[in-house]
Amino acid sequence: MTDAVQADRKMLESLVCPMTQGPLAYDAERQELVSKVAGLAFPIRGGIPIMLVDEARRLD
């Protein structure tokens, strides 16, 4: 794993859900950070997590 990938992963792991302040799960396939408690998936666009509730996808 390169240093850049490891740094990105550490950054993603340090983020919390803006609604619940709870943990987020990284979905590499969909490029999203998922808050199961809030029922939201926050997109990652161009390597940047979009942590806005209005931009999040509701989980089914």
Side-chain angles (χ1 to χ4, degrees):
M1 200 179 285
T2 68
D3 288 341
V5 170
Q6 199 150 28
D8 289 345
R9 191 153 180 81
K10 282 189 177 271
M11 185 266 306
L12 292 177
E13 290 172 355
S14 69
L15 294 174
V16 296
C17 175
M19 282 187 67
T20 66
Q21 302 304 305
L24 296 166
Y26 174 55
D27 183 340
E29 185 177 312
R30 295 187 89 158
Q31 286 297 291
E32 295 177 328
L33 293 171
V34 178
S35 172
K36 292 183 182 182
V37 174
L40 297 172
F42 299 91
I44 300 172
R45 296 185 190 130
I48 300 170
I50 310 300
M51 303 304 294
L52 301 171
V53 175
D54 293 342
E55 293 287 323
R57 176 179 67 81
R58 297 236 175 253
L59 299 177
D60 297 331

